[in-house]
Structures are given as structure tokens and as C-alpha cells.
Amino acid sequence: MEWKASYRLLNYCKHLFHRRWTPNFHYFKTFYTSGCRYYFNQPSVLIKPYIGNFQQAFQTFKHPSVSLGMHQRNRCRSQYRCFASQATIIQRRSDFSTISSEDLSYFKNILGERGVVQDEETLDAVNTDWMRKYKGTSKLMLQPRTAEEVSQILKYCNSRSLAVVPQGGNTGLVGGSVPAFDEVIVSLSHMSKIISFDKVSSVLVCEAGCILENLITFLDNQGFIMPLDLGAKGSCQIGGNVSTNAGGLRLLRYGSLHGSVLGLEVVLANGTVLDMLSTLRKDNTGYDLKHLFIGSEGSLGIVTKVSILTPPKLSSVNVCFLACKDYESCLKLLLEARRKVGEILSAFEFLDHDAMDLVLKHLEGVRNPFPSSMHNFYVLIETMGSNESYDREKLDAFLLHSMENDLMSDGVVAQDITQASSCWHIREGIPEALMKAGGVYKYDLSIPVEKMYDLVEEMRVRLDASAKVVAYGHLGDGNLHLNISTPQYDDNILAQIEPFVYEWTSKHKGSISAEHGLGLMKANKIHYTKSSETVQLMATIKKQLDPNGILNPYKVLPSSLLTKN
Amino acid sequence: MKIMVAIKRVVDYAVKIRVKPDKSGVETKNVKMSMNPFCEIALEEALRVKELGLASEVVAVSVGPSQFTETLRTGLAMGADRAIHVEAPENIYPITIAKILKALVDVEKPGLLFLGKQAIDNDQNQTGQMVAGLLKWPQGTFASKVVLDKEKQVATVDREVDGGIETLCLNLPAVITTDLRLNQPRYATLPNIMKAKSKPIKKFTLQDLNIEIKSDLEVVEVTEPPKRKSGVIVSSVDELIDKLKNEARVI
Ligand SMILES: Cc1cc2nc3c(=O)[nH]c(=O)nc-3n(C[C@H](O)[C@H](O)[C@H](O)COP(=O)(O)OP(=O)(O)OC[C@H]3O[C@@H](n4cnc5c(N)ncnc54)[C@H](O)[C@@H]3O)c2cc1C
Ligand SMILES: Cc1cc2nc3c(=O)[nH]c(=O)nc-3n(C[C@H](O)[C@H](O)[C@H](O)COP(=O)(O)OP(=O)(O)OC[C@H]3O[C@@H](n4cnc5c(N)ncnc54)[C@H](O)[C@@H]3O)c2cc1C
């Protein structure tokens, strides 16, 4: 094993050598290991550029610290924006209580001192969302360790009318995971046990606070993978993933969490613990209530345990990164890929010229596969199968055919895992690059694919030179991530974007939230996608499950529908 | 001038290594195999030399079972002109590989032989040196920079040594083994991958080269390094001192 470490260490040093003098430097590299990617994110001080520290670097490698990735965000030179302008629109609900000293002693009594966090620095971090765009003023974070503790917390909060925000890894992108005002933060991070894994049924049962990447690593050792994978894996939690119904990079292959989640344990607002933790694939007894909680963004209950179906890890993984001259070609390529490598296709992602440009400018350690020229569009295709030579043959035939038909202008096929990781690093690094570039307005849209890019072009015309319009996303799922990057947040620019982007999406029968949810950002925008009867029924369900409205208030549904009668 | 590059197929460097249960070696079944990273650097350097107009042809060679041709295909896709595959069992010792390479050099007569400084599986770091010895050619090992003078038939090689950089001048023909900092190997582009499919891979057997495999070495056992014990969090200074005194016995 020694050679590996020394080789990697040298690699480390090489990076250090070039970047040691860059301010805010931190090492950031992805390893793509047999179908799973790992983020390595270590402060530079850890690694001294001498072999003498070999042991330490090796340990660091073998035991990648877990909550890395996104927790480093404090280092980003990003815009800071308080929630001020929005807060004027939403009023704090006056029927909610504020924390009293009796409340604190009650919580300390059930959770112990360690489970009650009032330390300012910690609170500052958990009050602020990943984009540093939304910021609450909560004075209290609770860290339960069992569903029973969650139950006691909620029962008490419900009786006291104390509002609550459930928080997972706090990587949500719609302001749903932080308080709007002074809601009590209930963090699931101390509920991170893996309960069971059964190889035959391939069902994993774990607590909600398990970090996605830890589950990926755990399963990797068993020869399995998680059915979802996303750029935030180093911080996001399975409970957060379920609560946002996160899509991610593998949805194309393994479908949404509505398919792979087999059971949940959920605590309702009044403290009732709902045991729906089935590990059965088939169970048609009555209404399948777990689906209510998948994607409800903490507004109906707190997810405490998850049972999930995991696919086997396949040994043959191929990644290619292709360049296309126009959007039309990307679509044709998608169609071809479905036809020719459909059964092994596991990801089909795209990014446009502006996204590539941004990543190359703002992200460290990125390697442009086509250094000699820029292209208009890029497509990342991943296949996963069980037979390397069969997969390669199919993939090569598809690529050859596409090349002959002029669907791509250039392309590379990763020859080893390191090259595959570098390709993924480009696609997965876009959100981080956007953060570093300044302010960003994010829109996560489902639009019929053939129309999808029209919106981007119209937006560029509307905004002209005032902002940079960046497009990327899960093309295979018809999911566009439209991002408008500006040096500073500017209400004039916002007025140019909204409501135009929502109206356009609505007109084309799309969804204004493909996978990120509504959160605080889009609670009042739900009508652009759902009929009023549907929204009304949602409000009825919400009122039924949470009559006092203490769970994640101001989020998901328009507040106007939830006032008490 | 012709350049020959030796290439080895190894477990991909990003793969977590598992030792076989019977301790006979490392698990390679169902494991991603790739070109040894140092060999990739060697090939890249050879291609750059050729692109500078200082060489006419790059020949990639590999010694091993039939799957090694896949790795040679990667080499061809990166830009090697042709390849030679010597059919042989896996895990041959450096001295045998060096003899095979010498035999190939006698056939091909290259002006330069590039090798990776070591293969990341067995970490022997011997083949380059041994083949230079057998050929009686000058050697520049651990190269971090290579400059070729076509007129004078001289290669200037920077080597990374403990105290800094050592610069050597080698008369051609010579053996150069490559270190990590020499270059960043290119991606295999699609057009080149397609072209590589029709490039020739010539096969040799050990009999063809008149080489017999024998070794004075025997692998007794392969084991994993000992697992690091997980740490404990102590609740007080007193407990820490107690543990240091009574468990670790260091104070
Ligand atoms: C030979 C045979 C093989 C079968 N194999 C399987 C099998 O492999 N797997 C399996 O899951 N099932 C199987 N079934 C049972 C299965 O439930 C039904 O075959 C089928 O799904 C029901 O469809 P249907 O249109 O006949 O509905 P019906 O029998 O007419 O109705 C079934 C239920 O659905 C309700 N319903 C029907 N239509 C609607 C509607 N439009 N809106 C609201 N409610 C409605 C009815 O009120 C009733 O409660 C099998 C049945 C038979 C006879
Ligand atoms: C770099 C980056 C890449 C991303 N890529 C993708 C992507 O490809 N696809 C995608 O769908 N999303 C993506 N996201 C956003 C995604 O929604 C989140 O990363 C993730 O699913 C949320 O998990 P979390 O644990 O961080 O939840 P949080 O951000 O903490 O919470 C999200 C929401 O869920 C609620 N919640 C959290 N935990 C619980 C619980 N246990 N019970 C009840 N409610 C809970 C919160 O109240 C909040 O409303 C990305 C985010 C980042 C930063």
C-alpha cells in the first residue's frame, strides 16, 4: 500500500507547490473509485510537502474526514446577503412563542447539555444557508440522538407553539433548511447510525442524519452503491435527501427516491412516531403514506430513519466528456445514447460554454479536457455495467456512430479513474464555482428538453451584459439548472429574471422546481406549476398533520393558505 | 530516431487495494486496471519528443497476459505509432522484464528507451536500471525534465534527488525513467481512440525472444498493513493523564 500513499502524497505536493501562495487556498480533489466519488478537502496546513509527513497524509487519505466538502464553504470569497429584503415581505407569525429559560431547561433535561447548542459561532453557521443568501436569527439548536428525543422535542414545541426547522446537512438550495426568523433548529446530525444492511434484499436501514458519502463508502465495502449521488454528498444527509426528494446524477438510471425508498420513520408535529420503516419492496396495505414525506421539505414531519433499496456496484464504469457545437447536437446525442447504450447508461449531464468558462476560472485543480479550443456545449456520459469489454465495445460503437454523424466536435474517454474523476469534477464543481464568482440567482427547472435551452437564450437577451447566464444540468432527466451569475446581488437584475422565468416555465408546462424543492424561495410560486385544487389539498393535509403550523413555517406552501381558521 | 516506451498494466491507482483471502497477492478480479501512472508519463514524454520533431516513431511495449493489449490500446490512443505485446505470465520480476526489453531493443534498435521510474503495484524501481545495465547504455532515472539535442545526440536529464536537482548529460542511445513532475499525460481523444483500433500490435512469445523465466525469489505472503486503532475521546484531563500513565505507560 505504501506506493499508493507516496504517489498520492507527491501528487498533493505537486498541487501544493503551485498553489501554496494562493490566498484561501485549500486542497480540493475528487477521487472516483469504482463507481463512487470521494471529495478530499484538506486545509493546506495539514500536508507538509515532505515525505516525513507521509504517515499523516496516508491516514488522511484512508480516513477521509467526513463532513468535508461543503463545510469548507466558509472559505469561499462569496457574497454575503442577509434575508432582509425578503423578510419585509414575510412577517414573523405572532402566534409563535419565543424561547424562555424554562424551555431551555426542559430541553436540557431531555437532551442533556450537549444536545442544546447556544454557542454563537455554531448558531451563525446553522442560521446561514449554503449559498449564504438566507440567514435566520435562531438562538437555539437542538441535537437529538433518538426518535424518542425528537418526539419529545416536537411534542413540547407543539404545546408551546415554538416553531421548528428540521436541518440535515444544510446544503439545500432554496432557503428551506435555515430559519426564516427565530425558529428552533432541530439538527439530525447526531442521528447517524447505520442500523442494518441485508445483502440479499440489498436494503439499507439507517438513521436520517447519515451523511450520504458515508453511506456510499459503507456500501462500497459491501459491493453496493446508493441509488443517488450528488455534488453535495460530503455534507448532505439521507434524511435531507429524502425530505427534498433529491434527484442528482444517477436519477436517469435508478429513478427517484419515490421508487428506491422503501420505508421511513417519521415524527409528526404532535410527537407521534410513525413507524413506516418497511424493508419490503411490495406492500399494498392501504395508503402509502411515506410518499407524503418524501419531498415535503420538513413541513409535515421529521424523518428519523430511512430504509432504502441499493443497487449493486458494477465493476465496469466508463466516463466520456464530449464537446458539441450546438444544443441540437446534445439532444441528438441523448437520443442516440438511449438507443445504443441505454441499458448501461448511468448519467447524461450537460453544461454550456459559460458554465465551463466559469469552472475553469474559479475552481482549483480543474483540467480542461480540450485545452486547445472552447466549445459551445459539453456533455458528460457515464455508463455502468458488469462486463468491461462488452461495455467498451458498445460505447465505442455509439461514439463512432455519433462522430461520423457529426453529433460532436471533439471528445475524450477517461482511461483511468483519475481521468474520470477530473471529468466529473468539472460538472460537479459548477455550484461551487458559481459561489466563488459572486452573487447567483439559481433556478432549477424541469422543461421539455427540446425547448429547454430556448429559455437560456431568451434570458441572455433580456439581461444583456448585466449578468452572466450559465446553464447546466441533468439533460437526461429534462432538468435545467439555470444560474444567473452577477458580481453583486442587484434587485434590478432580479426584477429582470422574476417572474419572467416562472411565467416562461409555466407556459411551457414545466416545473419551477425539478429537484431542489420550494423552501422559502419559492413557497409563493407553487401556483406556477400546480393547480389551485392541488395546492388547496396540500394545505388541507398540512393543516391536518401540523395544525399549529410549527414545522418549517413560511416554507413550501403560501402562508396565506395556512392561516388558522 | 525511434523511441521505445515500456508500459505496465496495474490496478488503477484510485482503487482501494484488497488482499486476497489466501494471502497469495492482491485481488485483481473485477478490479479496474489501468496504465501505470509513471508509464503514462513516460509515454507522454516520448510523444512530446516526437511532436518536437526529434523522433520519428514511438513504439509502446508491454509484457504480460493477453489483457495487457488493452493497456497498449490506451497507449496507441494517446498517440503511440505501434505496439509490441510480449505474451507472458503476470508478476514477472524486474530482471526478466529487463532481459525481455533488451531483446526487444536488439530487434527494434531505438535511440531512447523510456520507462516509468517504478510500477505502483510492486514498487520495485529496478527495471530501468537493470535494462540500462544489460544494454550498457547510460541511464537517467527519476527524470523531471528531459531535453534532447538531435545534432549532438545527447539527452539532458534533470533528476530529482534528495538535496535538489541533479542534471545529467547522456549520450544516446540511453535509458530514461520518468518521475511524477515530468509532465501531465494527455487524455485520449475520440478520433485517436478510433484511429488506435487499426494500429498494429505485434506479438512475441518468450520463446521468440529466447528468454526463460526463472526466479530465485518466492513470495511467502502478502498482507495488509495493520489497521489503525480508532481514537478515544477522554472526558477530562485527569482521565488523559491516567491513560498516559497506566495504559500507554509513556509518563
Ligand atoms: C389472472 C389474474 C392475474 C393477476 N395477476 C396479478 C399480478 O401479477 N399482479 C398484481 O398486482 N395483480 C394481479 N391481479 C389482480 C390485479 O389487481 C388486477 O388484475 C388489476 O390491477 C386490476 O385492474 P382492473 O381494471 O381489473 O380493476 P378492477 O378489478 O375493476 O378494480 C380493482 C380496484 O380498483 C378500483 N378501481 C378500478 N378502476 C378504477 C379507477 N379508474 N379509479 C379508481 N378506482 C378504480 C376498484 O374500485 C377496485 O377497488 C391479477 C388478477 C387476475 C384475475
Ligand atoms: C453542491 C451542491 C450540489 C447539489 N446537487 C444537487 C443535485 O444534483 N440534485 C438535487 O436534487 N439537489 C442537489 N443539491 C441540493 C440538495 O437538495 C441538497 O444537497 C440535499 O438533498 C439536501 O440535504 P441536506 O441534508 O443538506 O438537507 P438540508 O439542506 O439540511 O435541508 C433541506 C430541506 O429538508 C429538510 N430536512 C432536512 N433533514 C430533514 C429531516 N431529517 N426530516 C425532515 N426534514 C428535513 C429541511 O428542513 C429543508 O427544508 C445540491 C446542493 C449543493 C450544495
Side-chain angles (χ1 to χ4, degrees):
Chain A
M1 298 286 283
E2 268 187 22
W3 52 264
K4 293 228 161 187
S6 67
Y7 181 68
R8 281 179 188 109
L9 185 74
L10 284 169
N11 233 341
Y12 255 102
C13 299
K14 198 156 85 165
H15 285 281
L16 278 169
F17 192 72
H18 292 307
R19 297 202 213 111
R20 205 162 342 145
W21 308 113
T22 326
N24 293 333
F25 160 79
H26 64 272
Y27 183 80
F28 188 91
K29 191 170 162 70
T30 330
F31 279 101
Y32 185 97
T33 307
S34 312
C36 307
R37 285 174 293 283
Y38 301 112
Y39 276 83
F40 283 70
N41 198 340
Q42 304 294 346
S44 56
V45 288
L46 258 181
I47 314 296
K48 305 215 181 67
Y50 294 103
I51 307 292
N53 231 7
F54 159 84
Q55 193 62 24
Q56 186 178 7
F58 186 38
Q59 303 297 5
T60 319
F61 169 72
K62 291 277 291 188
H63 308 276
S65 66
V66 281
S67 56
L68 23 95
M70 303 310 146
H71 282 164
Q72 296 277 337
R73 64 183 181 274
N74 298 345
R75 290 160 189 266
C76 298
R77 281 163 284 127
S78 54
Q79 288 278 327
Y80 191 83
R81 196 199 199 200
C82 292
F83 182 50
S85 63
Q86 294 242 7
T88 50
I89 308 168
I90 304 173
Q91 294 288 320
R92 182 183 182 280
R93 269 177 48 183
S94 55
D95 55 325
F96 287 144
S97 320
T98 49
I99 312 271
S100 68
S101 54
E102 290 88 73
D103 297 334
L104 288 175
S105 39
Y106 178 83
F107 291 132
K108 282 179 185 163
N109 197 23
I110 52 174
L111 303 173
E113 291 282 340
R114 275 209 277 168
V116 179
V117 181
Q118 293 175 278
D119 146 60
E120 245 173 61
E121 209 174 306
T122 314
L123 283 174
D124 194 57
V126 294
N127 267 303
T128 314
D129 80 319
W130 188 82
M131 298 179 293
R132 319 198 112 229
K133 204 167 178 179
Y134 299 91
K135 187 169 167 68
T137 55
S138 178
K139 296 275 180 287
L140 180 63
M141 173 166 76
L142 302 177
Q143 299 187 306
R145 290 174 180 273
T146 61
E148 189 45 45
E149 287 179 3
V150 175
S151 162
Q152 284 176 292
I153 293 169
L154 288 188
K155 191 171 176 188
Y156 181 82
C157 289
N158 196 36
S159 68
R160 278 270 298 126
S161 273
L162 281 169
V164 163
V165 195
Q167 188 174 85
N170 196 13
T171 66
L173 298 174
V174 289
S177 53
V178 291
F181 300 98
D182 58 347
E183 298 93 283
V184 175
I185 299 167
V186 176
S187 160
L188 278 294
S189 13
H190 285 179
M191 294 182 61
S192 55
K193 282 198 280 295
I194 290 170
I195 298 164
S196 66
F197 178 69
D198 180 62
K199 274 197 179 181
V200 178
S201 63
S202 68
V203 178
L204 171 77
V205 182
C206 66
E207 291 184 331
C210 289
I211 289 173
L212 180 59
E213 185 165 59
N214 293 354
L215 296 177
I216 291 173
T217 310
F218 169 81
L219 288 173
D220 187 63
N221 288 326
Q222 314 282 327
F224 289 80
I225 62 171
M226 286 295 280
L228 81 161
D229 188 6
L230 45 149
K233 67 179 136 280
S235 299
C236 68
Q237 301 174 0
I238 188 66
N241 298 147
V242 167
S243 301
T244 55
N245 186 22
L249 307 163
R250 298 252 169 82
L251 187 127
L252 177 78
R253 174 73 164 261
Y254 298 115
S256 96
L257 288 176
H258 281 292
S260 36
V261 172
L262 299 181
L264 294 177
E265 180 188 75
V266 178
V267 182
L268 299 181
N270 65 9
T272 306
V273 181
L274 280 189
D275 178 0
M276 305 175 284
L277 201 62
S278 167
T279 54
L280 306 171
R281 287 204 72 171
K282 301 175 83 170
D283 175 14
N284 281 358
T285 48
Y287 310 136
D288 200 345
L289 290 182
K290 68 169 183 282
H291 290 295
L292 265 186
F293 299 91
I294 300 174
S296 66
E297 301 179 59
S299 65
L300 299 179
I302 295 188
V303 176
T304 46
K305 291 193 186 93
V306 177
S307 117
I308 190 165
L309 193 62
T310 64
K313 182 172 110 182
L314 300 173
S315 57
S316 151
V317 179
N318 284 300
V319 172
C320 47
F321 200 84
L322 312 174
C324 297
K325 61 178 187 304
D326 51 26
Y327 183 67
E328 181 82 27
S329 306
C330 300
L331 292 185
K332 286 187 184 151
L333 211 50
L334 174 60
L335 203 68
E336 273 312 301
R338 286 214 165 107
R339 272 204 194 115
K340 298 237 157 68
V341 288
E343 77 278 24
I344 51 170
L345 192 63
S346 56
F348 195 106
E349 299 286 315
F350 93 110
L351 50 144
D352 68 2
H353 172 278
D354 291 87
M356 182 63 132
D357 188 48
L358 196 86
V359 167
L360 292 176
K361 268 202 194 111
H362 295 282
L363 216 58
E364 284 165 24
V366 178
R367 186 168 172 205
N368 185 355
F370 314 108
S372 52
S373 53
M374 284 298 278
H375 299 267
N376 293 330
F377 290 89
Y378 301 89
V379 166
L380 187 157
I381 297 176
E382 184 192 72
T383 65
M384 283 202 257
S386 52
N387 184 324
E388 192 160 341
S389 48
Y390 169 85
D391 290 2
R392 264 321 276 262
E393 204 175 299
K394 290 209 72 142
L395 185 67
D396 282 356
F398 153 70
L399 291 171
L400 183 64
H401 178 266
S402 309
M403 212 163 58
E404 282 169 349
N405 287 281
D406 223 13
L407 301 186
M408 64 180 93
S409 29
D410 207 345
V412 298
V413 180
Q415 300 294 320
D416 55 37
I417 296 175
T418 312
Q419 291 186 359
S421 314
S422 319
C423 293
W424 270 116
H425 186 34
I426 296 172
R427 166 61 189 84
E428 289 189 294
I430 304 171
E432 196 189 324
L434 279 161
M435 287 288 300
K436 290 186 175 170
V440 56
Y441 299 96
K442 280 186 165 307
Y443 300 91
D444 157 42
L445 312 164
S446 264
I447 298 172
V449 275
E450 67 280 9
K451 297 261 174 50
M452 194 155 105
Y453 207 72
D454 295 352
L455 172 61
V456 182
E457 276 158 359
E458 281 187 45
M459 194 59 93
R460 284 206 176 108
V461 174
R462 274 179 84 80
L463 292 173
D464 204 13
S466 62
K468 197 165 171 165
V469 180
V470 171
Y472 64 98
H474 316 292
L475 194 66
D477 313 321
N479 183 182
L480 169 71
H481 289 315
L482 173 68
N483 284 257
I484 288 120
S485 169
T486 57
Q488 283 103 35
Y489 286 108
D490 176 346
D491 286 342
N492 291 325
I493 290 179
L494 184 59
Q496 284 290 308
I497 308 170
E498 293 182 22
F500 170 78
V501 60
Y502 296 129
E503 284 167 356
W504 198 100
T505 306
S506 184
K507 195 171 86 194
H508 292 90
K509 307 237 175 310
S511 168
I512 60 158
S513 173
E515 59 174 14
H516 293 165
L518 295 166
L520 194 57
M521 179 188 178
K522 292 179 275 194
N524 288 314
K525 310 286 194 289
I526 191 170
H527 286 290
Y528 284 107
T529 299
K530 292 278 154 73
S531 72
S532 59
E533 294 81 2
T534 315
V535 178
Q536 198 58 55
L537 180 59
M538 290 184 193
T540 309
I541 292 171
K542 164 76 178 170
K543 282 193 263 189
Q544 179 65 37
L545 291 184
D546 178 18
N548 298 330
I550 60 158
L551 279 172
N552 226 357
Y554 323 106
K555 322 264 175 75
V556 189
L557 295 174
S559 300
S560 56
L561 296 176
L562 298 174
T563 44
K564 278 195 191 169
N565 30 10
Chain B
M1 182 182 72
K2 202 189 278 182
I3 304 180
M4 190 189 273
V5 186
I7 281 171
K8 187 172 185 187
R9 179 178 166 95
V10 297
V11 173
D12 191 289
Y13 112 91
V15 165
K16 196 175 156 205
I17 295 293
R18 288 199 178 87
V19 171
K20 284 187 194 160
D22 65 3
K23 299 189 178 174
S24 63
V26 160
E27 188 61 76
T28 53
K29 236 189 283 158
N30 268 332
V31 169
K32 170 81 178 163
M33 306 292 285
S34 301
M35 192 188 295
N36 176 39
F38 292 108
C39 299
E40 222 180 330
I41 293 168
L43 177 56
E44 175 67 33
E45 197 61 22
L47 295 172
R48 289 185 189 187
V49 170
K50 187 190 160 192
E51 281 159 2
L52 285 172
L54 301 173
S56 54
E57 192 184 33
V58 174
V59 185
V61 306
S62 194
V63 182
S66 60
Q67 303 91 301
F68 277 51
T69 53
E70 285 171 35
T71 311
L72 284 173
R73 277 287 165 226
T74 299
L76 294 172
M78 283 174 71
D81 298 289
R82 58 192 175 86
I84 296 175
H85 174 221
V86 180
E87 184 81 41
E90 220 160 347
N91 293 327
I92 304 180
Y93 282 92
I95 185 65
T96 314
I97 300 284
K99 285 178 187 163
I100 295 171
L101 289 176
K102 177 179 184 297
L104 291 175
V105 165
D106 291 343
V107 176
E108 291 286 338
K109 312 232 177 319
L112 259 176
L113 173 61
F114 274 112
L115 304 91
K117 70 165 182 182
Q118 70 196 64
I120 62 165
D121 50 3
N122 293 329
D123 265 351
Q124 310 256 26
N125 187 334
Q126 296 169 9
T127 312
Q129 293 87 330
M130 287 177 169
V131 73
L134 293 175
L135 286 165
K136 302 200 167 52
W137 286 6
Q139 56 180 299
T141 52
F142 306 95
S144 61
K145 191 177 167 197
V146 175
V147 178
L148 227 64
D149 189 325
K150 205 177 173 181
E151 315 267 274
K152 294 192 191 132
Q153 285 290 296
V154 163
T156 311
V157 174
D158 283 0
R159 310 178 62 232
E160 291 182 18
V161 292
D162 253 3
I165 303 282
E166 181 185 60
T167 306
L168 296 179
C169 264
L170 314 174
N171 288 327
L172 299 187
V175 173
I176 296 177
T177 76
T178 56
D179 213 330
L180 204 62
R181 258 161 280 230
L182 182 59
N183 60 46
Q184 184 180 45
R186 65 195 63 191
Y187 285 110
T189 65
L190 267 178
N192 286 337
I193 291 172
M194 299 307 165
K195 263 187 241 157
K197 287 189 188 299
S198 53
K199 288 182 184 172
I201 299 183
K202 196 168 165 187
K203 273 208 188 309
F204 280 99
T205 61
L206 293 173
Q207 289 90 319
D208 293 340
L209 300 172
N210 226 342
I211 288 179
E212 210 183 314
I213 299 181
K214 52 175 198 281
S215 175
D216 303 330
L217 297 171
E218 183 197 348
V219 175
V220 181
E221 182 179 279
V222 176
T223 54
E224 276 188 51
K227 289 222 169 21
R228 199 174 76 121
K229 284 200 202 122
S230 62
V232 288
I233 293 175
V234 293
S235 55
S236 66
V237 175
D238 291 341
E239 192 187 337
L240 175 67
I241 291 172
D242 176 69
K243 278 192 188 299
L244 289 174
K245 260 197 190 129
N246 301 319
E247 273 180 41
R249 296 181 197 284
V250 289
I251 54 172

